[in-house]
């Protein structure tokens, strides 16, 4: 049986990268979603807890604000709601770091195994096993991103001061950073490199192909953003109608179990979709990595030429 395989190690131009990405997406979406759900179970529960804390806190704060106008009287003090929001925010920070480590690893490992097996005929345990073997480097990589992003925020603030051109510069730097981080992470897992070596290689590949790297991340970010918005239409409509009902009927939403469930599940769905979108973004940077690596080193092209020479 012929494998339904999309070669990744090809020097593609801008348009081909976008087209190939969606071909890869359609072919692997079902299997990767299974991998995603299998290894994110505990974090999905954690996101549900985070959503509950944040929703309870914010609903309480809204009720507290309304009470100042004599419209309602919350059962708990405003300080209690601030504690809920603070606890939810702190928990969200740690869950976000853990989720970033896991899902950047899963999406990258999935693509590495796809390239290695020349198709998606592999078990999901192989994806996790590959990522687990490099867990130390992965954690160190994510920790190094903290100062990198702090520097980026400082640069972004400086750019924001510059009228018009500063906005464009800020977005260019943002998509360059996404490309650099994504390509570097992919190089680290693909070649089992150290963190600094991978960041150096990623910098080399992306800076030599600056506009292609920025453009691919901009276009894919825009298209994936649209897909995410489409995925959120149904829960958005449900929450919108329920909010209209709450406002029109002056429902005591702070003490309403239904309101808590609706808003908690809605917030949780948004967070889960955002996490899943992060994985899909890394697929784009994986395809970009293979393209830039092949353009720079021509390894796959030389092997094909050698194979043709041997067959003659």
């Amino acid at each position: 049986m012929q494998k339904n395989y999309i070669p990744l190690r090809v020097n593609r131009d801008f348009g081909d990268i976008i087209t190939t990405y969606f071909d890869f997406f359609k072919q692997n979406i079902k299997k990767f979603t299974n991998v995603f759900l299998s290894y994110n179970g505990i974090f999905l529960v954690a996101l549900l807890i985070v959503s509950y804390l944040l929703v309870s806190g914010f609903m309480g704060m809204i009720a507290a604000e309304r009470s100042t106008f004599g419209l309602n009287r919350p059962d708990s003090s405003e300080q209690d709601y601030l504690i809920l929001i603070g606890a939810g925010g702190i928990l969200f920070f740690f869950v976000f770091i853990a989720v970033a480590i896991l899902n950047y690893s899963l999406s990258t490992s999935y693509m590495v195994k796809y390239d290695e097996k020349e198709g998606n005929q592999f078990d999901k345990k192989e994806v996790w096993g590959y990522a687990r073997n490099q867990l130390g480097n992965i954690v160190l990589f994510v920790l190094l991103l903290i100062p990198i992003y702090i520097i980026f925020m400082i640069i972004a603030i400086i750019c924001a001061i510059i009228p018009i051109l500063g906005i464009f510069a800020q977005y260019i730097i943002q998509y360059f950073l996404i490309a650099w981080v994504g390509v570097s992470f992919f190089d680290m897992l693909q070649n089992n490199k150290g963190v600094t070596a991978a960041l150096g290689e990623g910098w080399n590949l992306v800076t030599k192909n600056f506009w292609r790297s920025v453009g691919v991340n901009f276009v894919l970010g825009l298209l994936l953003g649209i897909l995410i918005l489409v995925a959120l239409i149904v829960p958005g409509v449900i929450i919108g109608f329920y909010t209209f009902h709450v406002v029109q009927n002056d429902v005591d939403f702070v003490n309403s179990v239904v309101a808590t469930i609706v808003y908690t599940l809605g917030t949780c769905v948004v967070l889960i979709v955002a996490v899943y979108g992060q994985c899909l973004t890394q697929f784009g940077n994986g395809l970009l990595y293979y393209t830039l690596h092949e353009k720079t080193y021509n390894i796959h092209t030389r092997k094909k030429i050698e194979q043709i020479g041997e067959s003659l």
Side-chain angles (χ1 to χ4, degrees):
M1 183 176 68
Q2 187 177 5
K3 291 182 179 179
N4 187 18
Y5 170 62
I6 300 172
L8 302 179
R9 298 177 181 272
V10 178
N11 180 15
R12 296 180 169 90
D13 60 26
F14 178 84
D16 286 339
I17 293 175
I18 303 299
T19 302
T20 305
Y21 172 84
F22 283 101
D23 290 338
F24 181 87
F25 176 85
K26 288 185 290 185
Q27 183 187 111
N28 293 275
I29 184 68
K30 183 177 180 180
K31 180 158 188 172
F32 179 74
T33 300
N34 180 264
V35 174
F36 176 84
L37 294 175
S38 297
Y39 292 104
N40 276 275
I42 187 172
F43 294 113
L44 298 183
V45 173
L47 288 175
L48 186 62
I49 295 172
V50 167
S51 300
Y52 173 76
L53 292 174
L54 293 176
V55 165
S56 298
F58 280 112
M59 286 200 311
M61 288 297 296
I62 293 172
E65 289 296 323
R66 291 178 64 186
S67 69
T68 60
F69 298 98
L71 298 176
N72 196 4
R73 182 178 181 81
D75 295 330
S76 301
S77 66
E78 189 172 331
Q79 186 177 1
D80 293 333
Y81 297 127
L82 287 173
I83 292 173
L84 285 174
I85 294 173
I90 293 172
L91 181 60
F92 174 74
F93 174 78
F94 288 108
V95 171
F96 177 80
I97 295 296
V99 166
I101 292 174
L102 176 63
N103 289 290
Y104 244 60
S105 306
L106 287 178
S107 53
T108 303
S109 298
Y110 183 95
M111 213 165 189
V112 170
K113 299 304 293 185
Y114 180 90
D115 174 65
E116 178 185 313
K117 302 289 186 178
E118 295 189 349
N120 57 14
Q121 292 78 32
F122 50 85
D123 190 82
K124 61 185 178 183
K125 292 181 181 179
E126 295 181 61
V127 177
W128 166 242
Y130 190 89
R132 184 181 56 197
N133 291 335
Q134 301 190 53
L135 188 59
N137 280 339
I138 291 170
V139 173
L140 181 58
F141 186 96
V142 174
L143 291 177
L144 279 178
L145 290 185
I146 296 175
I148 290 174
Y149 275 102
I150 290 175
I151 294 172
F152 164 74
M153 290 177 63
I154 295 172
I155 296 174
I157 293 172
I158 296 173
C159 289
I161 300 173
I162 306 172
I164 302 176
L165 290 178
I167 297 175
F168 288 103
Q170 182 178 341
Y171 278 108
I172 290 171
I173 294 171
Q174 174 185 329
Y175 288 112
F176 168 79
L177 181 65
I178 294 172
W180 176 39
V181 170
V183 169
S184 298
F185 190 88
F186 211 97
D187 184 65
M188 182 180 72
L189 262 66
Q190 172 72 58
N191 301 305
N192 197 18
K193 285 186 178 179
V195 176
T196 54
L199 286 170
E201 178 66 9
W203 180 273
N204 178 54
L205 293 175
V206 172
T207 52
K208 286 183 177 179
N209 302 272
F210 182 85
W211 291 112
R212 189 189 305 193
S213 302
V214 170
V216 165
N217 274 276
F218 170 74
V219 173
L220 287 181
L222 181 64
L223 296 176
L224 288 175
I226 294 173
L227 285 176
I228 288 173
L229 288 177
V230 170
L232 292 174
I233 286 177
V234 174
V237 169
I238 294 173
I239 292 174
F241 273 115
Y242 183 76
T243 301
F244 179 78
H245 165 74
V246 167
V247 174
Q248 285 294 106
N249 296 280
D250 196 23
V251 175
D252 182 13
F253 55 86
V254 176
N255 297 311
S256 171
V257 176
V258 175
T260 302
I261 292 174
V262 169
Y263 289 123
T264 298
L265 291 178
T267 303
C268 189
V269 167
V270 171
L271 294 178
I272 292 171
V273 171
V275 170
Y276 191 76
Q278 181 188 48
C279 297
L280 300 183
T281 299
Q282 184 60 1
F283 278 151
N285 280 315
L287 189 58
L288 180 65
Y289 165 77
Y290 284 119
T291 296
L292 300 185
H293 195 275
E294 184 61 25
K295 179 186 177 183
T296 303
Y297 300 107
N298 291 315
I299 295 176
H300 185 65
T301 304
R302 284 202 299 266
K303 284 184 178 179
K304 290 179 69 175
I305 294 173
E306 291 173 0
Q307 290 173 356
I308 294 172
E310 291 174 356
S311 64
L312 295 176

